[in-house]
Amino acid sequence: MDHLDTRTLQQLDAAHHLHPFNDNAALAKKGTRILTKGEGAYVWDAEGHKLLDAFAGLWCVNIGYGRKELGDAASRQMTQLAYYNSFFQCTTEPTILLAAKLAELTPGDLNHAFFTNSGSEANDTILRLVRHFWAVQDKPQKNIFIGRHNGYHGTTMAGASLGGMAGMHKQGGLPIPDIHHIDPPFWFADGGDLDPDEYGLVAARRLEAKILELGPDRVAAFIGEPIMGAIGVYIPPMTYWPEIERICRKYDVLLVADEVICGFGRTGEWFGSEYFGFMPDVMTLAKGITSGYIPLGAAMFNDRVAGVLADQGGELAHGCTYSGHPVCTAVALENIRILQEEKIVETCKADTAPYLARRWAELGEHRLVGEARIAGMVGALELVPDKGRRAFFDDRGTVGQLCRDKALANGLILRATYDAMLLSPPLIISRGQVDELFEKAWKALNETAAELGL
Ligand SMILES: *Cc1c(COP(=O)(O)O)cnc(C)c1O
């Protein structure tokens, strides 16, 4: 692998590159980890370490690294027509074909795609167009979005406001007006003596209480991730989403599923809403849509919402230069072709995900693990001081960082949020690689416990 020496790259990086979601001063001292190559479920760093990437980049490399077909698709499109926009009554073939493909793949009558460059922009799009949807029906006051504390919907003004991360709200004067939040469904910390299914209903009914508090004529939409990813893979009880759907229907509040992580097979179903058995009116897509090979997001709208926007919406005063960029949509089509033709989602559901679930449950037996949760190919190990109790470490986050570093030293990439070790491997991970993941994670847990004297 040909590259400048690591130290030179780190020095240039520290001098000139502001990193997202990093303490940049601390990072400059420590030196950035530089990744240089990827193949299948593995990446290599500049020092030549081979790492099993059990986090799929950032929840996104669903088909695995190094698929030449995606590069070929990009190259073909760049050579033929590198760019054209979808403004001014124009568009391009791959963008049309991707819109049609997404209409076919997504459930129900989610038949209309609006393209963006990212999940954040797709959520911005949804905020604006849903408010517009109600406004053109003479309900401009029906403009409030309800999200959840600790939810994650990206980092633009609307995305970060819809999300419920206190640390993000503190920077830049968020949330913007008319966005409210309810508590998330997290049985481990919040379920008390309720069994998970009872608790799921209790957690969902917080939405009803909030709608009644604000007034149903004020609430435009509820937005949630089917599984809350960034905060620590909170997998709601199966009772939660159907009850949320019932409440949304009752008060005519649109239901927005942010499927940026769950979409394209992460749960073993094509979409998280199918895993949990509910039908959104609007869906946010990004990440797995291109397996992260190129940036692309999309907002999917159902016939009702798109119909009103088309018939009564007038000119939609919204869009990005790169909405429906043909190179990105061509790559997405190729990614989806591979997912479908190689039956990657079906193989996960029938074989690798159940196997991974078994081995994940074994990790759950470790003395440091209070809960091992998993749904398809996404999960978390909640590290705790006392295995018998559902309670966190006092100094939240320290143990998670330690365990993350131990995993890395053993050639395994896991993410830590507080003291939860997060799992989201490429969907093409094999049983043998699941075994490797288990061995390395177990070793990291042992070394973490040893260092803590537990
Ligand atoms: C990553 C993510 C986003 C934001 O997508 P970007 O492409 O980073 O803007 C939105 N929602 C969820 C659930 C995500 O995980």
Side-chain angles (χ1 to χ4, degrees):
M1 279 168 273
D2 232 13
H3 55 79
L4 296 177
D5 74 273
T6 308
R7 200 59 212 128
T8 305
L9 288 171
Q10 286 174 329
Q11 280 164 356
L12 288 171
D13 187 70
H16 303 296
H17 180 197
L18 269 179
H19 286 246
F21 287 107
N22 265 284
D23 175 334
N24 279 275
L27 179 64
K29 274 204 206 93
K30 187 175 175 197
T32 319
R33 175 180 304 276
I34 297 155
L35 286 303
T36 53
K37 180 184 139 140
E39 202 179 302
Y42 297 94
V43 291
W44 282 258
D45 70 16
E47 303 289 79
H49 300 117
K50 180 183 179 184
L51 305 165
L52 178 60
D53 183 7
F55 204 63
L58 197 46
W59 324 90
C60 56
V61 187
N62 290 11
I63 63 167
Y65 295 92
R67 291 299 299 251
K68 191 168 173 303
E69 301 93 322
L70 271 64
D72 292 343
S75 167
R76 271 197 309 275
Q77 186 61 42
M78 281 185 183
T79 308
Q80 191 186 317
L81 177 65
Y83 172 75
Y84 210 79
N85 65 63
S86 295
F87 295 10
F88 319 134
Q89 308 185 340
C90 298
T91 192
T92 57
E93 183 180 24
T95 298
I96 295 170
L97 294 182
L98 181 62
K101 177 55 94 177
L102 293 175
E104 172 199 318
L105 277 179
T106 51
D109 66 346
L110 290 163
N111 288 329
H112 312 270
F114 190 105
F115 292 112
T116 63
N117 305 293
S118 67
S120 303
E121 289 171 348
N123 282 327
D124 274 56
T125 298
I126 289 166
L127 180 86
R128 291 193 65 201
L129 295 190
V130 164
R131 283 179 173 174
H132 187 51
F133 162 83
W134 289 117
V136 298
Q137 297 175 96
D138 291 327
K139 292 180 178 167
Q141 80 292 350
K142 199 167 165 73
N143 68 342
I144 292 177
F145 270 63
I146 300 175
R148 294 174 299 178
H149 297 297
N150 286 326
Y152 187 81
H153 300 296
T155 65
T156 50
M157 294 295 276
S161 295
L162 294 167
M165 300 285 190
M168 293 173 71
H169 288 175
K170 263 191 234 144
Q171 299 178 358
L174 304 181
I176 57 175
D178 292 318
I179 293 177
H180 292 252
H181 300 87
I182 59 173
D183 282 334
F186 187 33
W187 178 82
F188 178 83
D190 186 40
D193 294 333
L194 296 176
D195 77 52
D197 279 346
E198 283 175 318
Y199 170 72
L201 294 175
V202 169
R205 285 173 192 156
R206 291 169 184 156
L207 175 60
E208 185 156 32
K210 182 58 86 178
I211 291 171
L212 291 173
E213 173 197 323
L214 297 164
D217 58 332
R218 289 292 327 273
V219 183
F222 172 73
I223 183 168
E225 307 151 80
I227 292 169
M228 295 173 76
I231 189 56
V233 185
Y234 293 0
I235 303 169
M238 293 307 280
T239 50
Y240 180 80
W241 278 109
E243 181 67 3
I244 291 279
E245 181 177 25
R246 184 191 69 75
I247 293 164
C248 286
R249 300 285 168 253
K250 181 171 173 191
Y251 298 103
D252 200 13
V253 165
L254 294 180
L255 177 48
V256 183
D258 183 337
E259 295 260 11
V260 170
I261 289 174
C262 288
F264 302 94
R266 180 54 57 200
T267 63
E269 302 290 343
W270 273 85
F271 298 95
S273 39
E274 295 170 312
Y275 181 89
F276 289 107
F278 71 100
M279 187 57 224
D281 300 293
V282 183
M283 199 183 257
T284 320
L285 301 175
K287 295 195 171 112
I289 193 171
T290 57
S291 286
Y293 278 59
I294 204 162
L296 181 69
M300 294 300 295
F301 296 96
N302 69 6
D303 289 344
R304 176 190 177 198
V305 178
V308 169
L309 290 174
D311 297 339
Q312 295 163 246
E315 177 179 328
L316 296 182
H318 181 74
C320 317
T321 301
Y322 300 139
S323 284
H325 193 296
V327 176
C328 304
T329 50
V331 170
L333 281 169
E334 186 63 10
N335 173 57
I336 292 168
R337 185 192 67 73
I338 287 173
L339 281 169
Q340 286 192 307
E341 284 183 14
E342 298 181 9
K343 299 199 184 318
I344 289 172
V345 183
E346 290 81 352
T347 303
C348 275
K349 183 177 180 176
D351 187 63
T352 7
Y355 186 67
L356 178 63
R358 280 219 307 278
R359 305 247 56 189
W360 202 243
E362 284 177 58
L363 290 171
E365 287 162 23
H366 195 278
R367 63 187 179 283
L368 212 50
V369 178
E371 183 181 69
R373 39 184 188 267
I374 193 161
M377 305 297 268
V378 58
L381 300 173
E382 194 70 53
L383 307 187
V384 294
D386 174 358
K387 197 170 174 62
R389 284 189 318 125
R390 292 186 351 238
F392 301 122
F393 285 97
D394 290 335
D395 180 19
R396 277 186 86 188
T398 312
V399 178
Q401 285 303 314
L402 179 63
C403 186
R404 192 198 73 116
D405 291 345
K406 297 292 184 196
L408 215 43
N410 283 294
L412 173 67
I413 299 179
L414 290 170
R415 172 172 171 182
T417 298
Y418 294 114
D419 302 313
M421 307 311 298
L422 312 189
L423 170 80
S424 170
L427 304 184
I428 48 82
I429 192 171
S430 68
R431 280 182 176 235
Q433 289 163 345
V434 168
D435 290 337
E436 180 186 339
L437 190 162
F438 172 88
E439 301 295 340
K440 289 179 166 164
W442 188 266
K443 195 150 174 272
L445 289 168
N446 277 345
E447 291 174 9
T448 305
E451 191 152 327
L452 295 169
L454 288 171

